[in-house]
C-alpha cells in the first residue's frame, strides 16, 4: 500500500507539473484534423498512437519548460509555489521524465507512418526550443502558438502521411489563439520580466498595446475559422460553434485584470478550455450529423 501511495503521489505531482488538464488546448483541434483528414472516423490504431504521441510530446515539452524556467520561477512571487521551486520534484527526475516522454513520442510516431517518424526529431527540437525564446524575443508567444499548432498538423500527417493545405490553416488558427491568450497571461509579469531582462509582448509594448495585439490575433483567428467554413463547405452547426467561441473570446477580453489572479486564470485558461471544446463538439456534430 505504501508503494502504491507513493507512486500515485509522484504521478499526481508530475500531472500537476505539466498541467495535464491543459491538453484541452491542443487535443480538440487534433481530433478535428484527424476526422477531416480521414473523411470520417480514423482507424483505432491511428487514434490511439496519435493521442499517445500528442500527450507524450506535450508532457515532455512542458516538463522541460519547468526545468528551463526554474530559476525565474523561484524569483517570481506568482510562480514561486510551483513544484521545482518548492523542491517537490528535483530537476534530475524531471529530466528523466522528459527523456521518457520524448522516447514514447518517437516510438508512437514510428507506429503511425514514415513521415511522422521522420519529422519526430524536428518536432522535438521545436517544442523544446520554446523554453528559451523568452530570453531573446518578444515573439515567444507566437512561437508557443506555432509549437502547439503542430498538434492538428501532426494529426493530419498521422492519418494521411501527406502534406495538405487544411491542417496548416487549422494550425494557424491554433497558433493565433494560443499566442493571444498567452499575451493576456503574460500581462501579469510585466514588471518582473523587465527586471529580469525577459522578453514578452506585454513587457516590450506595455499593457494596453499588448491587449490590443491579443485582440488582433484573436480577430484573425476568427477570420480563418470562417475561411474554413467556406473552404470546406461546412454547415450551420460549425458556424454556431464559431459564434459561441466569439462570445467567449469577447468575455475573455472584457474580464482581464492583471492584478486579479483568479480572473486572469479564468481569462487565460478556463474560458479557452471551453472555447476549444465548443469548437470540437460543434465541428464534429456538423460533420457527422448535419453534412
Amino acid at each position: 500500500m505504501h508503494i502504491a501511495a507513493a507512486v500515485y503521489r509522484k504521478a499526481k505531482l508530475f500531472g500537476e507539473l505539466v498541467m495535464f488538464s491543459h491538453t484541452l488546448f491542443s487535443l480538440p483541434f487534433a481530433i478535428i484534423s484527424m476526422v477531416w483528414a480521414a473523411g470520417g472516423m480514423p482507424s483505432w490504431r491511428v487514434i490511439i498512437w496519435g493521442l499517445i504521441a500528442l500527450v507524450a510530446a506535450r508532457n515532455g515539452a512542458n516538463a522541460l519548460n519547468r526545468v528551463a524556467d526554474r530559476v525565474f520561477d523561484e524569483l517570481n512571487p506568482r510562480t514561486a509555489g510551483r513544484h521545482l521551486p518548492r523542491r517537490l520534484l528535483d530537476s534530475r527526475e524531471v529530466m528523466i521524465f522528459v527523456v521518457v516522454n520524448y522516447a514514447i513520442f518517437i516510438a508512437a510516431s514510428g507506429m503511425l507512418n514514415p513521415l511522422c517518424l521522420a519529422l519526430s526529431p524536428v518536432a522535438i527540437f521545436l517544442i523544446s526550443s520554446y523554453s528559451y525564446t523568452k530570453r531573446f524575443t518578444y515573439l515567444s508567444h507566437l512561437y508557443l502558438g506555432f509549437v502547439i499548432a503542430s498538434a492538428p498538423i501532426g494529426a493530419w500527417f498521422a492519418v494521411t502521411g501527406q502534406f495538405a493545405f487544411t491542417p496548416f490553416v487549422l494550425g494557424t488558427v491554433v497558433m493565433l489563439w494560443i499566442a493571444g491568450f498567452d499575451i493576456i497571461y503574460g500581462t501579469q509579469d510585466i514588471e518582473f520580466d523587465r527586471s529580469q531582462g525577459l522578453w514578452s509582448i506585454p513587457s516590450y509594448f506595455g499593457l494596453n498595446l499588448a491587449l490590443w495585439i491579443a485582440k488582433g490575433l484573436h480577430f484573425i483567428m476568427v477570420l480563418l475559422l470562417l475561411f474554413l467554413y467556406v473552404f470546406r463547405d461546412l454547415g450551420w452547426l460549425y458556424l454556431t460553434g464559431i459564434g459561441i467561441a466569439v462570445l467567449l473570446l469577447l468575455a475573455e477580453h472584457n474580464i482581464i485584470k492583471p492584478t486579479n489572479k483568479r480572473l486572469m486564470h479564468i481569462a487565460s485558461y478556463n474560458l479557452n478550455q471551453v472555447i476549444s471544446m465548443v469548437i470540437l463538439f460543434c465541428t464534429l456534430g456538423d460533420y457527422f450529423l448535419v453534412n
Side-chain angles (χ1 to χ4, degrees):
M1 286 296 292
H2 292 299
I3 295 176
V7 170
Y8 171 78
R9 179 179 175 276
K10 188 67 72 172
K12 185 172 182 291
L13 287 173
F14 275 108
E16 294 168 350
L17 176 81
V18 300
M19 298 181 289
F20 188 77
S21 63
H22 293 183
T23 307
L24 289 179
F25 295 138
S26 57
L27 181 60
F29 290 94
I31 294 172
I32 291 170
S33 186
M34 278 187 174
V35 169
W36 283 352
M41 283 296 294
S43 69
W44 282 108
R45 181 186 68 82
V46 169
I47 292 173
I48 291 170
W49 287 114
L51 293 181
I52 289 173
L54 186 151
V55 171
R58 186 197 169 281
N59 285 348
N62 273 28
L64 179 62
N65 181 250
R66 289 291 175 259
V67 174
D69 283 352
R70 65 190 184 280
V71 174
F72 298 116
D73 285 346
E74 287 183 7
L75 297 173
N76 188 343
R78 187 181 63 79
T79 58
R82 288 177 175 173
H83 294 70
L84 288 176
R86 292 172 59 196
R87 310 296 190 268
L88 298 175
L89 295 166
D90 65 58
S91 297
R92 185 176 62 177
E93 63 182 337
V94 174
M95 285 306 301
I96 292 172
F97 180 80
V98 171
V99 171
V100 169
N101 273 277
Y102 281 172
I104 293 172
F105 168 66
I106 293 172
S109 299
M111 295 300 294
L112 288 165
N113 56 57
L115 179 61
C116 290
L117 179 60
L119 291 176
S120 60
V122 178
I124 287 175
F125 170 77
L126 292 176
I127 63 180
S128 300
S129 56
Y130 159 70
S131 300
Y132 301 94
T133 54
K134 204 172 181 181
R135 291 157 170 77
F136 61 87
T137 177
Y138 59 75
L139 297 178
S140 56
H141 314 278
L142 282 164
Y143 192 83
L144 173 63
F146 169 71
V147 167
I148 298 177
S150 64
I153 295 171
W156 189 283
F157 293 164
V159 174
T160 69
Q162 298 176 345
F163 288 85
F165 180 66
T166 294
F168 286 96
V169 178
L170 194 57
T172 305
V173 167
V174 172
M175 180 184 74
L176 297 171
W177 173 52
I178 296 290
F181 74 73
D182 192 58
I183 290 170
I184 292 171
Y185 186 74
T187 60
Q188 299 174 95
D189 294 326
I190 291 176
E191 295 307 321
F192 177 80
D193 287 349
R194 287 172 176 169
S195 71
Q196 298 298 315
L198 295 174
W199 291 66
S200 71
I201 284 177
S203 67
Y204 189 83
F205 291 101
L207 175 62
N208 291 332
L209 186 52
L211 292 179
W212 276 107
I213 292 171
K215 290 175 183 176
L217 294 177
H218 284 163
F219 178 72
I220 300 171
M221 164 207 169
V222 172
L223 292 181
L224 288 176
L225 286 170
L226 293 174
F227 168 78
L228 286 172
Y229 167 73
V230 176
F231 180 73
R232 294 196 61 84
D233 192 24
L234 302 172
W236 64 266
L237 189 52
Y238 171 86
L239 203 57
T240 300
I242 303 311
I244 296 171
V246 168
L247 293 176
L248 291 170
L249 283 170
L250 290 172
E252 174 182 323
H253 285 276
N254 282 328
I255 66 171
I256 296 169
K257 190 176 182 181
T259 56
N260 188 317
K261 189 174 182 179
R262 185 180 68 84
L263 282 180
M264 294 305 292
H265 192 275
I266 293 172
S268 300
Y269 293 125
N270 299 137
L271 284 176
N272 286 293
Q273 288 173 329
V274 176
I275 287 170
S276 63
M277 297 307 293
V278 165
I279 293 175
L280 171 65
F281 287 124
C282 287
T283 301
L284 295 187
D286 187 86
Y287 188 90
F288 289 109
L289 302 176
V290 177
N291 283 337

